[in-house]
Amino acid sequence: EAQVTQNPRYLITVTGKKLTVTCSQNMNHEYMSWYRQDPGLGLRQIYYSMNVEVTDKGDVPEGYKVSRKEKRNFPLILESPSPNQTSLYFCASSRVASGANVLTFGAGSRLTVL
Amino acid sequence: DAKTTQPTSMDCAEGRAANLPCNHSTISGNEYVYWYRQIHSQGPQYIIHGLKNNETNEMASLIITEDRKSSTLILPHATLRDTAVYYCIVRPNSGGSNYKLTFGKGTLLTVNP
């Protein structure tokens, strides 16, 4: 089944303890992206990647890092998490093509930073 | 990206058609209309998209007015599982740039038994 898989789905951690949220897709998509969703603020893009070794900042990149060493994986790294990074995170992927493009989203990772 | 306006909420009876409107009066010629939905805290799910012509797939139909300033998503036979927030998003031809989707507040569709 074509899908985007995120892990962990739920995580409670403490301030300053580095963590990584993994994202993997099995559709051979070139484009991948991370969003966070917060009440009243909607979905906001954190980082995106157009292909392997190509990443760029979205709207809210502060406090996050990403890497794209393989086409299928796009991990989100929080080097020193803070409570304001408590949020619901979504990874998404898409083919790179002209015209319309359709994003496939993962199921989400709910992160709580104490 | 063009701004969209959707009603905050709508109700629909199970088995009836759900018609969700979206206004995008500032849409430009190369901008597509996309519809996604999000069932409580799950990942957004793609439904349908269109540029000028009406479109239909296994999930829904998309009716775009001739002037492209508004559109309607139609779920022909709504079920309880269609209760979700529906997002109408307008964005241009990708052209190799960031494929970011700008999600607004959407319409909360509640399907009632």
Side-chain angles (χ1 to χ4, degrees), chain A residues 6-10 21 34 87-90 107-111:
Chain A
Q6 298 179 222
N7 281 297
R9 294 289 315 282
Y10 302 91
V21 185
W34 278 101
S87 187
L88 179 58
Y89 291 86
F90 293 103
S109 296
R110 187 171 291 281
L111 172 65

Side-chain angles (χ1 to χ4, degrees), chain A residues 60-74:
Chain A
V60 288
E62 295 76 22
Y64 304 95
K65 286 174 58 177
V66 292
S67 69
R68 188 86 184 275
K69 297 188 176 115
E70 305 166 285
K71 196 172 187 179
R72 65 184 293 123
N73 296 322
F74 190 46

